[in-house]
Amino acid sequence: MPLPTVAIIGRPNVGKSTLFNRLVGKRLALVDDQPGVTRDRREGDANLLGLEFRVIDTAGYEDEDAATLPGRMRAQTEAAVREADVSLFLIDSRAGVTPLDEEIARWLRSTDRPVVLMANKAEGRAGETGVLEAMALGLGNPIPFSAEHGEGVVDLFEALLPHVDRDEEEPEEDPESPDAPLKLAIVGRPNAGKSTLVNRILGEDRMITGPEAGITRDSISIDYEWTDFEDKPRKVRLVDTAGLRKKARVEEKLEKLSVADTLRSIDFAEVVVLLLDATRGLEVQDLKIADRVLQEGRALIIAMNKWDVAENASSLFNGVKGALDEGLAQVKGVPLLTVSAVTGKGIDTLMRVAFETRDAWSRRVSTGQLNRWFERAIEANPPPAPGGKRIKPRYVTQNKTRPPSFVLFGTRVDLLPMSYQRYLINGLRREFDFGAVPVRLVLRAPKNPFDRDKE
């Protein structure tokens, strides 16, 4: 049974993202003094004194033409209200009720959706006048609240209880189960088409898109269900992220926050899709992003977007593939796919490969299987003897998955050169079909009390 949903709405800079962060218990939404930081809808799981619900942070509601960026942001806010079980309408009690607040209130009264009116920034006595003014909005008595300091939580709980309370307990899902939602992050340079691709996958205009570069600021998580080639529904938690530019070009504080948010999304993802712009090919920044994903131990897929308008497609594909093999020497054979966010071509293949890649990233191999392979590998290519000292590998075991990680035990195995470690890692990949997911190998050599060289 899905969680009830609560949408937070209001004009710019009234504290919506601060309230969102308080409800979810962590700093997920970007917060800054300047208005208009939030653009897309951001969702998170909230817990308010034991009351559980899904909360949606929305962009500031502005009265602008629908074709403009603020107008497209307003359309997303209106969609959030239509889908929510109840809306939290925030006003700034210190600024008092503004004409835009009155316009939002008129719109909310016309929607026939439940609304809880909140007078934010009401700590101390500075907001008392604004609280009284809010009563004239025709949405009931406002709740004096402070999203910054957490004042008014009990009153908010009581106001939300009739709309989001439920009797059934949601069963907890094992995150490593094959049926658990696939955590899939879409990353890349600005204007590669990440939000357009997400919209095409979802089949709706969920993300704000347009010709302007860098529209997406927050990393936006959306739950989605993909039907595979056997007509089986598969759960996906899709994350659209802000574009990653070269570090030297990132100057504004807000963009630095967006970049940090994207990097956190990589850390929490299972599979990361690096989206390239096929009209621009592969750039150094793309390789840096790919290397970051692999260093974090995430499974990586590279997709070339705008393939429907790419020129010299065959030579472009082969050129990018060769550059990836050279630039990502630590992992050969990263899946390289072609997609079009405009036509939808290649998206089903992308989703199928993402699930297959997660399966490899989560694979566990028995110790017996590992050591039968290990004996053959050692026999085919014995380890070197640096300085005349024999290295004696004993056995190998898998200590964890996601990414697959192995521990090699033996005498002086800590002296194994990197070339031999790569030989073992590549052998593991081939033998157990790990593909191009990151594989870790840790060396464990017992301490020798008679070895004075290490004293």
Short mmCIF file of all heavy atoms in Angstrom, two decimals, residues 6-9 15-21 28-31 37-44 54-60 76-77 80 206 218 220:
data_model
loop_
_atom_site.label_atom_id
_atom_site.label_comp_id
_atom_site.label_asym_id
_atom_site.label_seq_id
_atom_site.Cartn_x
_atom_site.Cartn_y
_atom_site.Cartn_z
N VAL A 6 1.87 14.29 0.79
CA VAL A 6 1.64 15.65 1.29
C VAL A 6 2.49 16.60 0.46
O VAL A 6 3.72 16.43 0.38
CB VAL A 6 2.02 15.77 2.78
CG1 VAL A 6 1.87 17.20 3.27
CG2 VAL A 6 1.18 14.82 3.64
N ALA A 7 1.86 17.58 -0.19
CA ALA A 7 2.58 18.56 -1.00
C ALA A 7 2.78 19.85 -0.22
O ALA A 7 1.86 20.33 0.45
CB ALA A 7 1.83 18.85 -2.29
N ILE A 8 4.00 20.41 -0.27
CA ILE A 8 4.30 21.69 0.37
C ILE A 8 4.30 22.76 -0.72
O ILE A 8 5.06 22.66 -1.68
CB ILE A 8 5.67 21.66 1.07
CG1 ILE A 8 5.74 20.50 2.08
CG2 ILE A 8 5.95 22.98 1.76
CD1 ILE A 8 7.12 20.32 2.67
N ILE A 9 3.45 23.78 -0.58
CA ILE A 9 3.37 24.81 -1.61
C ILE A 9 3.41 26.20 -0.97
O ILE A 9 3.19 26.36 0.23
CB ILE A 9 2.09 24.66 -2.46
CG1 ILE A 9 0.85 24.82 -1.59
CG2 ILE A 9 2.06 23.33 -3.18
CD1 ILE A 9 -0.41 24.91 -2.39
N GLY A 15 10.13 29.21 3.00
CA GLY A 15 10.67 28.15 3.86
C GLY A 15 10.18 26.76 3.53
O GLY A 15 10.23 25.87 4.37
N LYS A 16 9.73 26.53 2.29
CA LYS A 16 9.20 25.21 1.92
C LYS A 16 10.27 24.12 2.01
O LYS A 16 10.03 23.05 2.56
CB LYS A 16 8.62 25.27 0.49
CG LYS A 16 7.44 26.21 0.33
CD LYS A 16 6.84 26.18 -1.06
CE LYS A 16 7.82 26.66 -2.11
NZ LYS A 16 8.26 28.05 -1.91
N SER A 17 11.45 24.39 1.47
CA SER A 17 12.51 23.37 1.49
C SER A 17 13.03 23.12 2.90
O SER A 17 13.41 22.00 3.25
CB SER A 17 13.66 23.78 0.56
OG SER A 17 13.22 23.77 -0.79
N THR A 18 13.04 24.16 3.73
CA THR A 18 13.44 23.98 5.13
C THR A 18 12.45 23.07 5.85
O THR A 18 12.84 22.19 6.63
CB THR A 18 13.52 25.34 5.85
OG1 THR A 18 14.40 26.20 5.12
CG2 THR A 18 14.04 25.18 7.27
N LEU A 19 11.15 23.26 5.59
CA LEU A 19 10.13 22.39 6.17
C LEU A 19 10.28 20.96 5.64
O LEU A 19 10.20 19.99 6.41
CB LEU A 19 8.73 22.92 5.85
CG LEU A 19 7.55 22.02 6.27
CD1 LEU A 19 7.55 21.80 7.78
CD2 LEU A 19 6.23 22.62 5.81
N PHE A 20 10.52 20.83 4.34
CA PHE A 20 10.73 19.51 3.74
C PHE A 20 11.88 18.78 4.44
O PHE A 20 11.76 17.61 4.84
CB PHE A 20 11.03 19.68 2.24
CG PHE A 20 11.38 18.40 1.53
CD1 PHE A 20 10.40 17.59 0.99
CD2 PHE A 20 12.71 18.01 1.39
CE1 PHE A 20 10.72 16.42 0.33
CE2 PHE A 20 13.05 16.84 0.73
CZ PHE A 20 12.04 16.04 0.20
N ASN A 21 13.01 19.46 4.60
CA ASN A 21 14.16 18.84 5.25
C ASN A 21 13.84 18.42 6.69
O ASN A 21 14.28 17.37 7.16
CB ASN A 21 15.36 19.79 5.25
CG ASN A 21 15.99 19.93 3.88
OD1 ASN A 21 15.79 19.08 3.00
ND2 ASN A 21 16.74 21.00 3.67
N LEU A 28 17.95 17.05 2.47
CA LEU A 28 17.86 16.57 1.09
C LEU A 28 17.69 17.72 0.11
O LEU A 28 18.29 17.73 -0.96
CB LEU A 28 16.66 15.60 0.95
CG LEU A 28 16.81 14.21 1.57
CD1 LEU A 28 15.57 13.39 1.29
CD2 LEU A 28 18.04 13.50 1.01
N ALA A 29 16.82 18.68 0.44
CA ALA A 29 16.55 19.79 -0.48
C ALA A 29 17.58 20.89 -0.29
O ALA A 29 18.02 21.18 0.83
CB ALA A 29 15.14 20.34 -0.24
N LEU A 30 18.00 21.51 -1.40
CA LEU A 30 18.92 22.64 -1.32
C LEU A 30 18.21 23.83 -0.71
O LEU A 30 17.07 24.15 -1.06
CB LEU A 30 19.42 23.02 -2.72
CG LEU A 30 20.14 21.93 -3.52
CD1 LEU A 30 20.73 22.53 -4.79
CD2 LEU A 30 21.23 21.25 -2.70
N VAL A 31 18.89 24.50 0.21
CA VAL A 31 18.31 25.68 0.90
C VAL A 31 19.28 26.83 0.77
O VAL A 31 20.48 26.68 1.02
CB VAL A 31 18.04 25.37 2.39
CG1 VAL A 31 17.53 26.61 3.09
CG2 VAL A 31 17.06 24.23 2.53
N VAL A 37 15.20 28.67 -5.44
CA VAL A 37 16.21 27.61 -5.49
C VAL A 37 15.60 26.31 -5.99
O VAL A 37 16.14 25.63 -6.86
CB VAL A 37 16.85 27.42 -4.09
CG1 VAL A 37 17.73 26.17 -4.08
CG2 VAL A 37 17.66 28.64 -3.70
N THR A 38 14.44 25.94 -5.44
CA THR A 38 13.77 24.70 -5.85
C THR A 38 13.06 24.91 -7.18
O THR A 38 12.35 25.90 -7.37
CB THR A 38 12.76 24.25 -4.78
OG1 THR A 38 13.44 24.06 -3.55
CG2 THR A 38 12.08 22.95 -5.19
N ARG A 39 13.24 23.97 -8.11
CA ARG A 39 12.58 24.07 -9.41
C ARG A 39 11.70 22.85 -9.69
O ARG A 39 10.55 22.99 -10.04
CB ARG A 39 13.63 24.24 -10.51
CG ARG A 39 14.24 25.64 -10.51
CD ARG A 39 15.35 25.79 -11.51
NE ARG A 39 15.78 27.18 -11.63
CZ ARG A 39 16.84 27.57 -12.32
NH1 ARG A 39 17.59 26.68 -12.95
NH2 ARG A 39 17.16 28.84 -12.38
N ASP A 40 12.26 21.66 -9.55
CA ASP A 40 11.47 20.46 -9.76
C ASP A 40 10.87 19.98 -8.45
O ASP A 40 11.32 20.37 -7.36
CB ASP A 40 12.36 19.34 -10.35
CG ASP A 40 12.75 19.62 -11.78
OD1 ASP A 40 11.87 19.57 -12.65
OD2 ASP A 40 13.94 19.91 -12.03
N ARG A 41 9.87 19.11 -8.56
CA ARG A 41 9.31 18.49 -7.36
C ARG A 41 10.32 17.50 -6.78
O ARG A 41 10.84 16.65 -7.48
CB ARG A 41 8.03 17.72 -7.72
CG ARG A 41 6.85 18.59 -8.03
CD ARG A 41 5.65 17.73 -8.38
NE ARG A 41 5.61 17.43 -9.80
CZ ARG A 41 4.89 16.46 -10.33
NH1 ARG A 41 4.18 15.67 -9.55
NH2 ARG A 41 4.88 16.25 -11.63
N ARG A 42 10.57 17.61 -5.49
CA ARG A 42 11.44 16.64 -4.81
C ARG A 42 10.59 15.89 -3.81
O ARG A 42 9.79 16.49 -3.09
CB ARG A 42 12.59 17.35 -4.10
CG ARG A 42 13.47 16.40 -3.30
CD ARG A 42 14.44 17.15 -2.43
NE ARG A 42 15.68 17.43 -3.10
CZ ARG A 42 16.68 16.56 -3.21
NH1 ARG A 42 16.56 15.35 -2.72
NH2 ARG A 42 17.81 16.89 -3.80
N GLU A 43 10.78 14.57 -3.72
CA GLU A 43 9.98 13.74 -2.82
C GLU A 43 10.88 13.05 -1.79
O GLU A 43 12.05 12.78 -2.05
CB GLU A 43 9.20 12.68 -3.61
CG GLU A 43 8.24 13.29 -4.63
CD GLU A 43 7.42 12.24 -5.35
OE1 GLU A 43 7.36 11.09 -4.86
OE2 GLU A 43 6.84 12.56 -6.41
N GLY A 44 10.31 12.79 -0.63
CA GLY A 44 11.03 12.06 0.41
C GLY A 44 10.06 11.43 1.39
O GLY A 44 8.90 11.84 1.48
N ARG A 54 4.57 10.41 2.41
CA ARG A 54 5.49 10.87 1.37
C ARG A 54 5.29 12.36 1.21
O ARG A 54 4.16 12.82 0.99
CB ARG A 54 5.17 10.14 0.06
CG ARG A 54 6.21 10.33 -1.03
CD ARG A 54 7.26 9.27 -0.97
NE ARG A 54 8.16 9.38 -2.10
CZ ARG A 54 9.45 9.11 -2.02
NH1 ARG A 54 9.97 8.75 -0.87
NH2 ARG A 54 10.22 9.18 -3.07
N VAL A 55 6.35 13.14 1.33
CA VAL A 55 6.23 14.59 1.26
C VAL A 55 6.87 15.09 -0.03
O VAL A 55 7.89 14.57 -0.48
CB VAL A 55 6.86 15.27 2.51
CG1 VAL A 55 8.35 15.00 2.60
CG2 VAL A 55 6.59 16.77 2.51
N ILE A 56 6.24 16.09 -0.64
CA ILE A 56 6.70 16.65 -1.92
C ILE A 56 7.04 18.12 -1.73
O ILE A 56 6.18 18.92 -1.33
CB ILE A 56 5.62 16.51 -3.02
CG1 ILE A 56 5.15 15.06 -3.14
CG2 ILE A 56 6.14 17.01 -4.35
CD1 ILE A 56 3.94 14.89 -4.04
N ASP A 57 8.29 18.47 -2.01
CA ASP A 57 8.71 19.87 -1.99
C ASP A 57 8.52 20.42 -3.40
O ASP A 57 8.91 19.80 -4.38
CB ASP A 57 10.18 19.96 -1.58
CG ASP A 57 10.67 21.38 -1.46
OD1 ASP A 57 9.84 22.28 -1.26
OD2 ASP A 57 11.90 21.59 -1.56
N THR A 58 7.90 21.59 -3.52
CA THR A 58 7.61 22.15 -4.84
C THR A 58 8.30 23.50 -5.03
O THR A 58 8.76 24.12 -4.08
CB THR A 58 6.09 22.36 -5.03
OG1 THR A 58 5.63 23.36 -4.12
CG2 THR A 58 5.32 21.07 -4.80
N ALA A 59 8.34 23.92 -6.29
CA ALA A 59 8.91 25.23 -6.60
C ALA A 59 7.99 26.34 -6.11
O ALA A 59 6.78 26.14 -5.96
CB ALA A 59 9.10 25.35 -8.12
N GLY A 60 8.56 27.51 -5.86
CA GLY A 60 7.75 28.66 -5.46
C GLY A 60 6.73 29.02 -6.53
O GLY A 60 7.07 29.11 -7.72
N GLN A 76 4.39 22.35 -12.55
CA GLN A 76 4.80 21.20 -11.74
C GLN A 76 4.17 21.27 -10.35
O GLN A 76 3.76 20.25 -9.79
CB GLN A 76 6.33 21.18 -11.61
CG GLN A 76 7.06 20.80 -12.89
CD GLN A 76 6.81 19.36 -13.28
OE1 GLN A 76 6.82 18.47 -12.44
NE2 GLN A 76 6.56 19.13 -14.55
N THR A 77 4.09 22.47 -9.78
CA THR A 77 3.45 22.64 -8.48
C THR A 77 1.97 22.26 -8.54
O THR A 77 1.45 21.57 -7.65
CB THR A 77 3.61 24.10 -8.00
OG1 THR A 77 5.00 24.39 -7.86
CG2 THR A 77 2.92 24.32 -6.67
N ALA A 80 1.56 18.59 -8.56
CA ALA A 80 1.80 18.00 -7.24
C ALA A 80 0.56 18.09 -6.36
O ALA A 80 0.21 17.15 -5.64
CB ALA A 80 2.98 18.69 -6.56
N ARG A 206 7.28 15.14 -15.97
CA ARG A 206 7.52 15.19 -14.52
C ARG A 206 8.61 16.18 -14.18
O ARG A 206 8.57 16.84 -13.15
CB ARG A 206 7.87 13.79 -14.02
CG ARG A 206 8.30 13.68 -12.57
CD ARG A 206 7.18 14.15 -11.63
NE ARG A 206 7.59 13.97 -10.26
CZ ARG A 206 8.37 14.80 -9.58
NH1 ARG A 206 8.86 15.89 -10.17
NH2 ARG A 206 8.67 14.57 -8.32
N ASP A 218 18.25 20.39 -7.84
CA ASP A 218 18.23 19.29 -6.87
C ASP A 218 18.33 17.96 -7.59
O ASP A 218 18.01 17.84 -8.77
CB ASP A 218 16.91 19.29 -6.09
CG ASP A 218 16.77 20.49 -5.18
OD1 ASP A 218 16.26 21.53 -5.63
OD2 ASP A 218 17.17 20.37 -4.02
N ILE A 220 16.42 14.77 -8.00
CA ILE A 220 15.01 14.46 -7.80
C ILE A 220 14.79 12.96 -7.92
O ILE A 220 15.13 12.35 -8.93
CB ILE A 220 14.13 15.20 -8.82
CG1 ILE A 220 14.43 16.71 -8.80
CG2 ILE A 220 12.66 14.93 -8.56
CD1 ILE A 220 14.16 17.39 -7.49
#
